[in-house]
Amino acid sequence: MTTLRNGYDVIVLSNSCDNLPKSSGSHLQSSKTDKSLHGIGLKSVTRTLRKYRGDFDWKYDDVKHVFTVTAMLGDREDV
C-alpha cells in the first residue's frame, strides 16, 4: 500500500512470518545459517531512505504472525 501523508510518500509492506524476527535494538538480524551472505538489504534501504530524507519502522504482530515495514520518503524536490 502507498499513500501521501503530511508531504511524505508512505509505503507499507506486510508479509506473513511464523516467528518473531530476531533483532538487536532496532536492527533486524538475519536468521539465515550463513550470515555473511545476508543482512545487507535493510542496511541498503536505510542508506537510501536517509538520502531521500526518509525513515522506516517495522513491527511484528505475534497474534496474526504478520511482519510489517512502514517506509516514509520526504519531499523529492529538495534532493
Side-chain angles (χ1 to χ4, degrees):
M1 171 180 80
T2 62
T3 188
L4 182 65
R5 286 189 203 146
N6 299 324
Y8 286 89
D9 290 310
V10 179
I11 302 166
V12 180
L13 304 168
S14 296
N15 199 9
S16 61
C17 182
D18 290 334
N19 301 311
L20 175 69
K22 294 179 182 181
S23 65
S24 174
S26 63
H27 300 285
L28 291 169
Q29 297 177 333
S30 177
S31 61
K32 307 287 182 171
T33 305
D34 187 351
K35 296 190 186 334
S36 67
L37 299 176
H38 303 280
I40 61 170
L42 286 179
K43 290 176 187 174
S44 177
V45 168
T46 300
R47 278 194 306 271
T48 302
L49 288 172
R50 280 190 201 135
K51 177 179 178 180
Y52 293 100
R53 296 184 25 214
D55 198 5
F56 83 99
D57 193 20
W58 64 272
K59 65 181 180 179
Y60 179 72
D61 184 325
D62 58 352
V63 174
K64 296 180 181 178
H65 299 279
V66 174
F67 178 79
T68 302
V69 173
T70 303
M72 298 177 295
L73 295 167
D75 185 357
R76 292 180 296 273
E77 292 179 13
D78 294 338
V79 177

